[in-house]
Amino acid sequence: RNPYWVLYKDLNNDQIDRVLTMIQLEYKFTDWLKLQVRHGMDMRQTFTESANAYGIRDLGSGALNFNSGYSAYRSRAMESNADFQLTANRKLTEDWTATLSAGGNKETSNYNNVGGTTGLLDLPGVYSLNTGQLPRPSSNVSKSRINSLYGFLNVGFRNYLFRDATYRNDWVSVLAKDRRSFHYPSLSLSAVVSDLWSDLFKSEFPQAISFAKIRGAYAEAGSVTISPYELTPTFGISRGYGDASLLVT
C-alpha cells in the first residue's frame, strides 16, 4: 500500500464524547458534627472506524479488493463514585481533642462494546458493516463494583501528641465470593518534640532547631488490579475463518 493510497484513500476516524459530573452536599448538625455526601460520574462514548480502501488489484485473482475491509466499533464506558462521611470534631477537655470520621464508598464501572468487520469489500467507497464478503459482528460487556466502609480516629493531647488510627474494609466483585472482603488498618503516633520539650522542661527548645517532630506508623494497604471475569471461567463464542463451524472456547 503506497503512502498516497494510505493517506487519501484509507480511512481512520475516532470520535469521543465525554461527560463529567460532580455533586457535593454538606450538612452541619452542630458546630462539631457534619455529614458530607458526594457523587461523581465519568461517562465516555466512543466511535471508531477504519478501512482499507477498495481498489488495489489482487495479482492472483485480478480482483480490485486486495486486503480491503472495513471495521467499526461503538463503546460506552461509565465510572461512578458515591460516598458519604460523617465527621465529629470536638475539644474534650482543655488538653484533649478528638476527631472521628466514618463513611462508605461505592465505585461502579460499566463497559460495553459493539461493532464488527466486513472482510473484503464488495463495492468501492461503500463503508457499511453489512456490505462485505465476510461480515463478523462482535460485542462484549464488562461490569465491576467495589463497596467500602472506613473509619478514622485522631486523638490529640496539648497539640503536640497525636494518635491516629484508620480502618477500611472493601468488598470487590471481581474476586471469588469467599475472598471478596478484605481489610487494611493503620496506626500512628507522632509528637512535636519542640513543643513537647517546652511543656515538659519549661524551657525553650534549642534555637538552632525551629521545629522538630517524630512519627512512627504501621499500615496495611490493599488494592485489586485484575479485570472482571479473570478468575471465573467464561466462554468465547465465535466462528473461524470463512464459513467455519461455530467455535466455543
Side-chain angles (χ1 to χ4, degrees), residues 124-176:
V126 178
Y127 299 119
S128 175
L129 292 178
N130 61 354
T131 57
Q133 297 183 16
L134 194 63
R136 283 287 181 265
S138 66
S139 64
N140 63 80
V141 176
S142 175
K143 298 180 179 182
S144 66
R145 177 179 294 175
I146 301 176
N147 294 327
S148 306
L149 290 175
Y150 53 85
F152 169 78
L153 174 66
N154 170 271
V155 178
F157 177 72
R158 292 189 177 179
N159 209 32
Y160 57 69
L161 283 178
F162 301 96
R163 180 65 180 267
D164 295 326
T166 68
Y167 181 86
R168 178 172 176 135
N169 200 104
D170 288 346
W171 292 265
V172 184
S173 66
V174 300
L175 299 179

Side-chain angles (χ1 to χ4, degrees), residues 6-249:
V6 172
L7 184 61
Y8 294 103
K9 296 294 185 179
D10 289 349
L11 175 69
N12 281 287
N13 288 327
D14 293 295
Q15 178 182 329
I16 300 176
D17 297 318
R18 188 172 188 179
V19 177
L20 297 168
T21 64
M22 178 65 186
I23 300 174
Q24 177 175 317
L25 300 175
E26 185 174 296
Y27 182 77
K28 289 188 176 182
F29 298 96
T30 68
D31 59 351
W32 56 269
L33 181 64
K34 68 178 181 179
L35 174 66
Q36 178 181 268
V37 179
R38 298 182 299 178
H39 184 275
M41 183 190 70
D42 181 359
M43 184 175 67
R44 301 178 303 279
Q45 295 194 104
T46 304
F47 175 71
T48 62
E49 61 177 351
S50 63
N52 288 341
Y54 184 105
I56 295 181
R57 185 176 300 278
D58 187 329
L59 297 181
S61 65
L64 291 175
N65 62 353
F66 175 73
N67 201 34
S68 67
Y70 173 71
S71 66
Y73 295 92
R74 188 175 298 277
S75 64
R76 181 177 183 268
M78 185 179 72
E79 299 176 0
S80 65
N81 272 280
D83 66 16
F84 72 93
Q85 182 172 293
L86 183 65
T87 302
N89 187 347
R90 292 206 69 175
K91 187 172 185 178
L92 304 177
T93 68
E94 189 65 28
D95 295 329
W96 292 91
T97 59
T99 300
L100 175 64
S101 295
N105 177 269
K106 181 175 74 172
E107 178 184 322
T108 304
S109 297
N110 293 310
Y111 175 82
N112 63 73
N113 177 286
V114 62
T117 60
T118 63
L120 296 177
L121 295 174
D122 289 325
L123 299 168
V126 178
Y127 299 119
S128 175
L129 292 178
N130 61 354
T131 57
Q133 297 183 16
L134 194 63
R136 283 287 181 265
S138 66
S139 64
N140 63 80
V141 176
S142 175
K143 298 180 179 182
S144 66
R145 177 179 294 175
I146 301 176
N147 294 327
S148 306
L149 290 175
Y150 53 85
F152 169 78
L153 174 66
N154 170 271
V155 178
F157 177 72
R158 292 189 177 179
N159 209 32
Y160 57 69
L161 283 178
F162 301 96
R163 180 65 180 267
D164 295 326
T166 68
Y167 181 86
R168 178 172 176 135
N169 200 104
D170 288 346
W171 292 265
V172 184
S173 66
V174 300
L175 299 179
K177 287 185 177 180
D178 59 342
R179 296 182 179 274
R180 286 180 179 172
S181 175
F182 57 92
H183 63 273
Y184 33 104
S186 73
L187 292 170
S188 69
L189 179 64
S190 60
V192 181
V193 179
S194 51
D195 293 344
L196 176 63
W197 177 283
S198 300
D199 188 53
L200 290 180
F201 300 104
K202 308 304 179 184
S203 62
E204 293 295 328
F205 201 65
Q207 293 184 356
I209 303 175
S210 60
F211 180 84
K213 182 179 181 178
I214 59 173
R215 183 177 184 270
Y218 168 82
E220 296 179 8
S223 65
V224 177
T225 58
I226 63 174
S227 300
Y229 319 122
E230 287 191 13
L231 300 181
T232 304
T234 58
F235 292 99
I237 303 174
S238 62
R239 290 186 180 272
Y241 182 77
D243 293 324
S245 300
L246 190 67
L247 301 176
V248 180
T249 58

